[in-house]
Structures are given as structure tokens and as C-alpha cells.
Amino acid sequence: MVLPGGRCRRRERDRRRRAAAGARRCGDRGRRGGRGVRRGVCRRPRQPGCGIGPAGHRHRRRRRRGHRHRRHRHRRHRRHRRRQRRRGRRAAGRGRGGAGGRPDRRRGGWRRRRTGRRRQRGRRRWWRAHRLRRVGHREAMTTDAGERLVDGYALVVFDLDGVIYLIDRPIPGAVEAVGRLHAEGRSVAYATNNASRRSSEVADLLTGMGVPARPEEVLTSAAAAAELLRDRLPAGAAVLVVGTEALRAELGAVGLSPVSRADESPLAVVQGFGPQVCWADLAEASVAVRGGATWVATNADPTLPSGRGPLPGNGSLVAVLRTALGRDPDVVVGKPEPALFTTAARRAGQGRTLLVGDRLDTDIEGARRAGLDSLLVLTGVSDAAELLAAPAHRRPTYVSMDLAGLFDPAAVVRVPGPANAGGWSVAPRGDTLELSGAGRPLDALAVLCTAAWSARSARIRPGSAEAEKALAELGLSG
């Protein structure tokens, strides 16, 4: 049937049905009471992707309706994607990972499209946030790549025996390390339990070895003991000295009178290391302490490092009097008491202080008592086996073979380290820990510290040829 104007009734009916369906599906409400189907509005049924965002947008008519619809759909789809990207950028800092955490997938943070350099920058930014969340801000097993250990501290305090020198010979690399610190303008101090030399004598000894040192940079247990007795005793009081002439000189410098016999009525006995200390000196000290004198020991180090191995130290001589008197000294001035370290830390002002030592029972324990970070170097008394068996109050912050760890990030490790890192892993085998893998021996030591301190077992055996070599280098193959 032909309608007025020459139009076919069937075609006109189909056209109106399509228009009504397009209005309902594309957003124009048409027969539902809305604006109706208007000229310039898409009338095609909704297809995948169409209808995202506000509907009913006008566009210029074209002869090809299919092309017009595709253009309409893509334009609206692009606007929707832009809105998603904006929401994703706003949500990236408050996603499920917290501030700086993982973007929320539901907000479109994972669907942002980047090209070229912009995409790479976004990936790097996400990886930094993801890594911080994954490791929980835990410090890496070694210091950060490119960051030296010494850069994090304002003052470095060195022990002397076993760190800078052995008896009277400098340890290889120590002179260069201290010279480098001075060349960079960093603050340096020296703390020693050896009471056989005065501060000026220690400074002269270091300067003769090639290490520039001033007397005010040297902190000795002899000077600390003299200052302690000066505060407790009246001026000119008699003090019986068991030790060297250096200890006598320190007492005389603070206004006290050093004596050698118990019948001179000393008010205190100060005992320090001296190679010439004999039975007669210990006998006079025993009589004076039994008579009521205060007993002060400069330090309690049982041994001294030497080129021939550990030798008896002042702690061994103190043990003789402890056995004879049946009691401990009234005061022990030197390490591990924190007095030397707190005095040195005050010189650093607001900065942090790092202690470098070779003994767990004096240097490292004293640093922990004073609340300072510590670096254990394996050039003196304590070795890797003692480190693995160390109790909690004698565990260092870092470990290095020598003083090169101050400047080389690859020559120092933080302990305890990750359970499996640096190519090494440790597995318990009964009451023994088995080390397997390959890598640097120092990384193996950090992994072993983690396992030994948690399992409370120091028995180690190799699980591979590389592990056997690493254990031999660390002195743990026996």
C-alpha cells in the first residue's frame, strides 16, 4: 500500500519501529515520555560499547548510518576511558595498598593506557610502590646500591686493638680507611679499653702509623677511670694503682695521689692492664680491698689480640682478684659499659654514631647498651663462629671482613639478613643447619646468622661445593 507522498506503508512502519527501538536502547526516551527521537540523534540499536556515558549526543548526519553509529560509539567510548584514567590516577594513592600503594582494579587504575616514555615512567613508579609494600620497608641484606655505610653517620668511633692495629702494627687497610674519612672531613674518635697508654701516647702511636689523630679524639679507659675517681674522692686522696705509669699519670692529672702499697691507706684501688703486673701488685690490691678500699677496674677484657693469637688481658687479672676476694669489682669503667660511647656520641651532636669494633663481648655489647649502631670487623678477636652463637645483647648491626665495608656497599652486610638471599639458602637437618647455593661468603654469613639465631643452633654443614668453599673462607669448616 502506498501512503500519501509516495511512501510505502510497510517501509514506513519498519522505519518507525527501528526509530523507537533505537530511542529506547541508545538513551533517548522517545515513547516513554522523553524528548522523543530527534533529528541528528543515533537511532541504531545498542551494540557492544554503545551507551557508555551520557546518551543522546548529537552528531552531524552522514549518508552511511553504520559509519555514523560507529563514530558515535567510539567517541563516547573514548570519553568513558578518559574518565576511567582520571579516576585511576586519583585512586592510585589511596588504593588497597594504602598511600602510594596498589591502584584499585575496580577504579580503573590498572587500565590506564600509556605509550612510550610515559608508560615506562608509570611502571617504574608502580614498581617502587609495590616493592616497598612487598618488603614492608625492610632494609635490604646489603646497604642500598650506591649508598655507602659511612654516609648515614655523623661520627665513626673506632676500637683500636684488633681494628686499627694489632699490638704495634697497623691492620692492612686501616690506615687508608681512616685517612679517607679525614680527607672527606668526617668526625672520627677512638675508644680503647687498653689502659696501658695515655691519650696523648695513643695519638702519637696512631700518627706514627700514618693515622692522623689528636689527643682529644682518643677516649681511654684509664682517663675515664681517673675522672670517675675524681668525682667520688676528695682532692689529693690516695689511690693504689695496679697497672702502668700511664694510669698513674692520668690519676695525677686529675688531682689524685697514686700509691703502690696497701699500708699507705688508699681510699680506692684502680686496676688496669700492664705487661709488668705481677703477683706482688695483686697481693697489695687484695689487702687494700679487704681493708675497705673501693675496687675499680678499667676494663674486663679477658684477652688481647696479637699476631700470635689472643693473649691474657686485664679481665684475666681481674679474675685473679675476683677469685681471691670472692666478689666482683665495685665499678668497671671500660667497655661494655656505655660511658665511653655516650661520651663520644655527645661529640656527634644531632647526628648518628657508628661504632666499629672487633669484640662482641665489649665493643658490640657496649654499643647496644648505649643505643648505637655497630659494625663488627673480623680482623680481631671475635670470629664468624662466635657471631653465630652470640646472644641477643651481643649482636651487631652490620658485619664486614675489614674496614672496606665503610665505603663499599658490597663489602658489608646487615645482620640478620633475609632467610634466602644472595644465592644462599639454609635448611635445618636435625640439630644441624645445611648451607647450600652459591654466592659471596659474606652473604652466606648473613643468611647463617638469620637461621642460627632463630634456631639457636650454630652447627653448620655444607650442602654444595660452593658452600664448602664459603664456610672455609669464613673459618666455619671445622
Side-chain angles (χ1 to χ4, degrees), residues 228-229 232 240 242 267-272 282 285-286 288-289 292-298 314 317-332:
L228 174 69
L229 291 175
R232 294 190 177 188
L240 193 150
V242 178
L267 298 181
V269 173
V270 58
Q271 183 177 4
L282 297 177
S286 176
V289 172
T294 302
W295 181 18
V296 177
T298 59
N314 190 55
L317 301 177
V318 171
V320 174
L321 282 185
R322 180 186 297 112
T323 303
L325 297 173
R327 71 180 186 90
D328 292 330
D330 297 305
V331 180
V332 178

Side-chain angles (χ1 to χ4, degrees), residues 15 24 31 35 63 111 118 123 147 167 187 191 195-196 229 237 245 255 347 352 383 425 451 461 469:
R15 185 185 65 79
R24 289 194 298 271
R31 296 182 182 180
R35 294 172 297 179
R63 178 172 298 178
R111 300 180 183 274
R118 185 180 177 189
R123 288 174 178 173
E147 182 180 355
I167 305 300
S187 300
S196 62
L229 291 175
E245 290 298 324
R347 301 182 179 183
R352 301 170 62 196
D383 54 9
S425 62
R461 72 180 184 186
K469 295 179 181 178

Side-chain angles (χ1 to χ4, degrees), residues 262-300:
D263 55 10
E264 298 181 59
S265 303
L267 298 181
V269 173
V270 58
Q271 183 177 4
F273 174 77
Q276 307 303 323
V277 173
C278 61
W279 179 88
D281 299 324
L282 297 177
E284 293 295 328
S286 176
V287 173
V289 172
R290 290 185 186 277
T294 302
W295 181 18
V296 177
T298 59
N299 66 291

Side-chain angles (χ1 to χ4, degrees), residues 85-231:
R85 287 196 294 271
R86 285 195 295 269
R87 287 197 297 265
R89 284 193 291 270
R90 288 195 297 266
R94 60 175 185 270
R96 287 174 288 182
R102 179 178 180 178
D104 197 338
R105 184 187 297 270
R106 295 169 297 179
R107 286 183 171 269
W110 282 82
R111 300 180 183 274
R112 288 177 288 175
R113 294 184 179 180
R114 290 186 174 92
T115 57
R117 187 175 300 175
R118 185 180 177 189
R119 177 182 299 175
Q120 295 176 4
R121 185 167 59 249
R123 288 174 178 173
R124 289 195 299 268
R125 189 180 297 115
W126 174 86
W127 171 246
R128 286 195 295 267
H130 171 69
R131 181 179 180 273
L132 288 176
R133 185 182 69 254
R134 182 166 61 94
V135 303
H137 298 276
R138 182 186 60 200
E139 297 192 18
M141 193 170 97
T142 61
T143 56
D144 294 337
E147 182 180 355
R148 305 181 307 173
L149 176 62
V150 71
D151 292 334
Y153 299 92
L155 173 67
V156 181
V157 180
F158 291 98
D159 178 44
L160 292 179
D161 293 329
V163 177
I164 303 297
Y165 57 73
L166 286 175
I167 305 300
D168 56 354
R169 295 183 181 181
I171 293 177
V175 175
E176 294 77 7
V178 178
R180 188 172 177 179
L181 291 175
H182 280 288
E184 295 179 1
R186 299 185 180 276
S187 300
V188 175
Y190 308 94
T192 177
N193 272 354
N194 193 338
S196 62
R197 297 186 180 98
R198 299 190 64 185
S199 299
S200 57
E201 296 174 352
V202 174
D204 294 339
L205 176 64
L206 292 174
T207 303
M209 293 180 181
V211 179
R214 302 188 303 272
E216 57 269 21
E217 293 178 339
V218 181
L219 305 173
T220 66
S221 60
E227 294 178 1
L228 174 69
L229 291 175
R230 178 198 60 191
D231 297 337

Side-chain angles (χ1 to χ4, degrees), residues 162 171 357-358 360 375-385 387 399-403 442 445 473-474:
I171 293 177
D358 69 307
L360 295 175
L375 169 65
L376 175 68
V377 291
L378 302 179
T379 55
V381 175
S382 298
D383 54 9
L387 175 62
V399 178
S400 178
M401 292 295 183
D402 50 30
L403 293 181
L442 204 58
L445 181 59
E473 187 171 344
L474 294 172

